[in-house]
Each structure stands twice: as C-alpha cells, then as structure tokens.
Amino acid sequence: MTTYLDLLKAKTVDKALDRLNQYWVEDRQLDYFNAATIDEALALLDRHEGARVIAGGVDVVRLLRNRLIAPTALVNIQAIPGLATITEDAVGLKIGTLATLSDIADSPVIKGKYPLLAEAARSAASPAVRNMATIGGNLCQQVNCWYFRMPAITGKTFFCHRKGGPTCFAVDGDNRYHAIFASGKCHAVCQSDLAPALVALDAKIKIASTDGQRVISVEELYTPIGNTLKANELITGIEIPLPAPETKQSFLKFRIRKAIDPAIVSVAAAVTVHDGLITDARIALGGVAPTPYRSLAAEDALKGSMLTAESAQAAAAATVRQAAPLSMNDYKLAIARALVKRAIIG
Amino acid sequence: MKHTLALKVNGQDYEVSIDPWRTLAWVLREEVGMTGVKMACDTGNCGSCTVLIDGKAVKSCIMLALQAAGKEVTTIEGLATAKGLHPLQQAFIDHFAVQCGFCTPGMILKAKAILDENPNPTEEEIREGLSGNLCRCTGYVKIVEAIMVARDQMKAAKTGKK
C-alpha cells in the first residue's frame, strides 16, 4: 500500500498531487454516462452493476477520492430536465431531487411556509457548496466519522462496522464528535441538516427504479449502517405535507464555527399550538446518531400540555433521557437539551 | 477510458480528453492551463478552487470535470478585459487585500458572484457570502473592505452610464 511517505518522494509538488489524484482509481475502469431522462438513468443503473448516481458530486467525489466507494460507472443525472423544480399545491410541497440547497434556502414558498427547511438548507456547508449540493444527495450523504472517512491514501483504513468490519473504532477511540444515542454498532453521526428538518416536517421520499415507484418516510431511508436504497434505485423527489396553520417551526444548529462545519447537534422542531395547547409536535435531531434521530419522548412530553418554558424544559430533558454518550461526548447532552428547549419556546 | 470534454472557459472553447474521475479543478489547471484555479484542501472546504459556472460560484475540486460539459466556466483569468483589471481586482490591490495571494482568485470570484447576485450587499451579506473561502494570512477585514469599495465603484459606474 502506498503511504504518504511514498508520495512525498515524488520529485515535485505537481507530481505528488498528480499521484494523489491518480491513487484512488489506479487499475480501475470507471465509466461515465449522462442520463437525459429518469428512465434512461434507471436503465443505466440496471445495466451496469456497481454503477452509482452522481448529481452535485459534493459527497460522491470525496467518497471516490478517499476510496470509500468503488463504483464501476457513474450515472450523471444533473441534466435530467424537470428534476430541480419546487412546486406548491393545495396539499403541500414537491421538491425535485436536483433542487440545490441554495434553491431551497432562497425559495419564497419554503421561506414562507416551511421556514425550518429554508433555515436548515441555509445553515449547511458554505454558499458555493450549497450551489452544488442537491437535496437528494444531501439525504444520501455518508455519515461523519473520522475513522470511517479516513482516506485510504493515509495508509490507514479503519475497517469498521459500517464497512462490514468487526468493530467501531470510536468506542475506544477519540469519540468527541460521535453519536450519543446507541444504535447498535456504528457511532458515526448523520451530518445532513435536511434529514432532521424533513423528519420534523413529516416528509416523504419518492424513489424510482425499473421495478416501479415507492414512497417512504424520511426515517425509513436510514439504518444505523447505511441507507435503504437499492443499487438500482434513484430518489426522484421529496413531498412535504402542508403544516397545520398554527405550527411553530424552528431549526437550530450548534457547531464550532459559523460556516463549513457540520452540526455538533442540530434540532428541527414543528410544534402545533392551539390556544396555548400543544396538539401536535415533531422533534428531530441531527449530529447525535448515525440516522436523523426523532425524539418520540420529547414529542410525547409536549403533546397535550400547554406551551410553556416548563413543558419545553420537560421535553428537552426527555430527549436525552435515553442517551448513551461515549467516553468523550457527554457535553452533547447539554447542547441537545438547550437546543430542544430553545427550538420549542424560542 | 478517456472521455472527450468540450468546455467553455472564459468565453473560449476547449476540447480535452480526460479520465472521468478528474476533477474540474485539475482539468482547468493541467489541461486548460488556468493555473489561477488553486487546489489546497481538495475537499470542498477552503474555497481556493472557486470558479463560476454559468455565473454561480462552485468549488471545482469536488466536481468532476465532465459535469461542466456545455457550461460556461469563468476563472480569475477571465475577469480582466482589454480595458484593464476588473474593479474587484483593482480594489484588492489598492486596499491591500492580498498577502500570500493563494486564496485571492477564489475570494475575487466569490465576491463577483456576490455582487452579480446583489449589487448592493451589506458588509454582513458580504461576510456571509465569503463564509466558504478561507484566508490563512491577512484575515478578512481588508478583503471585505476591498469588496465594499468595488461594490460602490461598480454601482457608481452603472448609475453614471444611465
């Protein structure tokens, strides 16, 4: 295996960079196809075993370069017409899978009626990345974990649970940014900001393949070690029901720097209040588990009570009651509690 | 397998033969010769590889070159005209917004995207727009000042013409 040291023996910086670039595809044939329609994309995915969809490229290119995926072909869906639209009707909102985070953050309809989603999109990464990143890609992005994502080029590949290995290196390692909710094996965190936002908004994901179409909830897209998409499936869009008129929405994100950084903890809350009484609530967190984490305990604590600082506090306490922090990350409990309370009561 | 890619960079057509896994940043530097595109973090964080695609700022190190097919790419080399430097470039020089210069092409292109989208941004909006571009030597005060000066000059030039 080539290590950094071998690479440094390259005579010039350009040579070293060139070799860095080549490293992840040496000996590998990678095909590339432009799909003009959804049907063509699905046919390509069917025909080429090991093919992978690429849209904005933000996560896929990094995964490729770090040898975390090894597709035989890339199917570019970016030029498929009509997949980047945001349309509103009487029952809710339809967002095409290619709508970018910038499109979502700037959409007047989303800012007006689904403000927590606009805020989640606006908080993600940085402005230029938001111009590239699509909503479908954002939901499919891999988790954040420095063991899982360690580039192969370093010569250190952590063959962890998520990669089919025998252990999770975060358990005995540096786990300060890892999950606080036990999920079985993997302790990486969901770094998508849109995932918890869409869980709070009770959104559905439309998925197509040559076998037909299916619709799932956002929660059903995730398992603790990966997503539930089959190799020949493609997310085509997101559907969000119109929230009840008296629904208070909020998306809060704690991170170390104001931009670029993923969430240490994020909270999306949609709380329906009628004459001071909470009739419905959906609370979802990011950055705390390998999947977006919906807190049914917080929702139960809220439903049927009056919207007060006390009920918000009770929901915040309920959120973390079942948490199982690792050796270095119990500080996340305090952040999660504070954010949940603030997301509910302001 | 090499793919043929037709690219439009700074108004000029290029045809290159590349592997599909090449990033746009690499192809712009090594095949097209636009070395004003910088590669630093190479993971989409630092912003030094920022270019404009159809007028929108993107990070060219996390985009495959083949995905830019048929689109208009603008790099820092495309900003100056026969008449001279772009007002942003001149303002960066006049207001000492450059130290080592490595982040400058990305900064100026992102600044252009900010001003193209909104000709009258506040300082806050400029800072927010630059939030994905990192500078490791001067800090951001001079850069933001230079952009505000360029903003005022470009506004004045526009109203002057009317």
Side-chain angles (χ1 to χ4, degrees):
Chain A
M1 170 165 288
T2 314
T3 65
Y4 266 135
L5 283 179
D6 297 326
L7 284 162
L8 290 175
K9 284 179 196 150
K11 284 204 178 94
T12 65
V13 174
D14 279 351
K15 278 269 174 335
L17 268 179
D18 198 37
R19 289 176 62 184
L20 274 167
N21 267 314
Q22 283 182 11
Y23 185 76
W24 50 269
V25 278
E26 61 177 3
D27 305 329
R28 194 196 305 158
Q29 285 295 316
L30 181 66
D31 258 324
Y32 182 93
F33 303 98
N34 285 309
T37 63
I38 293 176
D39 286 343
E40 194 186 343
L42 297 177
L44 283 163
L45 288 176
D46 251 5
R47 203 172 325 130
H48 298 274
E49 203 186 325
R52 213 165 149 126
V53 172
I54 185 166
V58 173
D59 202 38
V60 169
V61 172
R62 279 185 289 191
L63 292 172
L64 261 177
R65 304 185 63 166
N66 291 347
R67 286 199 156 190
L68 294 165
I69 54 173
T72 56
L74 292 173
V75 177
N76 178 28
I77 61 167
Q78 229 178 5
I80 298 178
L83 274 188
T85 50
I86 297 172
T87 47
E88 190 195 18
D89 61 23
V91 293
L93 191 72
K94 290 186 171 67
I95 305 176
T97 192
L98 293 180
T100 65
L101 302 192
S102 298
D103 294 339
I104 291 164
D106 296 340
S107 156
V109 176
I110 296 179
K111 282 199 280 195
K113 292 183 188 163
Y114 308 85
L116 84 78
L117 180 61
E119 184 53 33
R122 208 182 69 87
S123 79
S126 59
V129 172
R130 295 198 288 273
N131 284 340
M132 310 166 72
T134 61
I135 185 169
N138 183 279
L139 293 176
C140 290
Q141 72 184 306
Q142 266 293 4
V143 287
N144 196 12
C145 165
W146 44 35
Y147 297 105
F148 174 77
R149 283 193 179 255
M150 181 71 71
I153 190 78
T154 60
K156 267 191 187 169
T157 295
F158 290 93
F159 197 59
C160 64
H161 272 321
R162 207 175 182 86
K163 293 174 186 155
T167 185
C168 169
F169 293 87
V171 174
D172 293 323
D174 189 333
N175 50 39
R176 71 186 84 175
Y177 299 129
H178 285 78
I180 52 171
F181 288 99
S183 62
K185 293 176 165 181
C186 174
H187 297 82
V189 292
C190 164
Q191 59 177 349
S192 164
D193 292 307
L194 298 197
L198 290 171
V199 169
L201 290 171
D202 197 13
K204 299 280 183 285
I205 300 177
K206 282 195 328 195
I207 295 168
S209 74
T210 46
D211 304 327
Q213 294 224 0
R214 63 186 181 112
V215 178
I216 59 171
S217 71
V218 176
E219 289 152 282
E220 286 165 337
L221 180 65
Y222 298 95
T223 77
I225 53 162
N227 70 37
T228 56
L229 287 180
K230 296 190 202 95
N232 68 342
E233 286 185 324
L234 176 70
I235 292 181
T236 55
I238 314 296
E239 291 180 356
I240 310 175
L242 188 66
E246 292 149 310
T247 302
K248 228 170 71 71
Q249 297 181 29
S250 178
F251 179 87
L252 299 173
K253 176 172 174 178
F254 181 90
R255 50 183 161 178
I256 295 173
R257 289 157 288 247
K258 278 191 203 160
I260 303 174
D261 283 353
I264 302 281
V265 179
S266 63
V267 174
V271 181
T272 309
V273 185
H274 196 73
D275 289 335
L277 182 75
I278 298 168
T279 55
D280 199 8
R282 289 179 71 93
I283 311 285
L285 287 80
V288 295
T291 66
Y293 181 83
R294 182 173 169 201
S295 179
L296 295 172
E299 294 174 11
D300 287 343
L302 288 173
K303 281 181 217 167
S305 45
M306 301 301 283
L307 178 62
T308 61
E310 286 71 34
S311 62
Q313 183 73 51
T319 303
V320 298
R321 202 160 288 142
Q322 279 156 29
L326 300 167
S327 59
M328 296 169 74
N329 68 4
D330 63 350
Y331 72 97
K332 281 195 177 192
L333 302 183
I335 297 171
R337 270 198 305 268
L339 288 193
V340 169
K341 185 181 174 194
R342 268 183 227 168
I344 294 164
I345 198 80
Chain B
M1 195 180 62
K2 298 256 186 194
H3 286 239
T4 304
L5 167 66
L7 260 182
K8 194 163 201 174
V9 184
N10 302 329
Q12 223 179 315
D13 291 316
Y14 295 86
E15 201 175 279
V16 294
S17 176
I18 54 162
D19 287 309
W21 44 269
R22 287 292 189 189
T23 62
L24 180 61
W26 188 92
V27 169
L28 287 172
R29 282 180 62 85
E30 304 294 331
E31 297 286 341
V32 182
M34 299 299 171
T35 50
V37 181
K38 301 301 179 197
M39 278 153 65
C41 77
D42 231 4
T43 55
N45 290 309
C46 79
S48 65
C49 67
T50 303
V51 300
L52 307 183
I53 291 194
D54 293 341
K56 278 194 175 171
V58 302
K59 299 197 173 181
S60 60
C61 75
I62 48 169
M63 173 171 177
L64 297 181
L66 290 176
Q67 292 184 285
K71 295 180 177 166
E72 293 250 6
V73 182
T74 305
T75 70
I76 191 71
E77 288 88 345
L79 254 54
T81 61
K83 283 185 223 152
L85 292 178
H86 188 278
L88 274 164
Q89 291 173 306
Q90 195 58 53
F92 267 60
I93 296 170
D94 294 344
H95 296 272
F96 307 103
V98 175
Q99 192 166 319
C100 89
F102 200 85
C103 72
T104 309
M107 286 284 180
I108 291 180
L109 287 165
K110 189 67 189 67
K112 181 173 188 301
I114 294 169
L115 295 179
D116 286 348
E117 226 165 82
N118 171 13
N120 197 18
T122 61
E123 179 178 344
E124 186 60 32
E125 286 165 341
I126 292 171
R127 285 183 175 275
E128 162 125 25
L130 285 183
S131 61
N133 291 69
L134 302 182
C135 167
R136 297 287 76 179
C137 37
T138 75
Y140 302 90
V141 172
K142 295 284 176 195
I143 292 171
V144 173
E145 278 174 14
I147 296 170
M148 289 197 290
V149 169
R151 168 198 68 190
D152 295 342
Q153 285 174 349
M154 287 163 76
K155 256 192 326 194
K158 222 176 189 179
T159 45
K161 262 180 211 161
K162 278 175 193 167

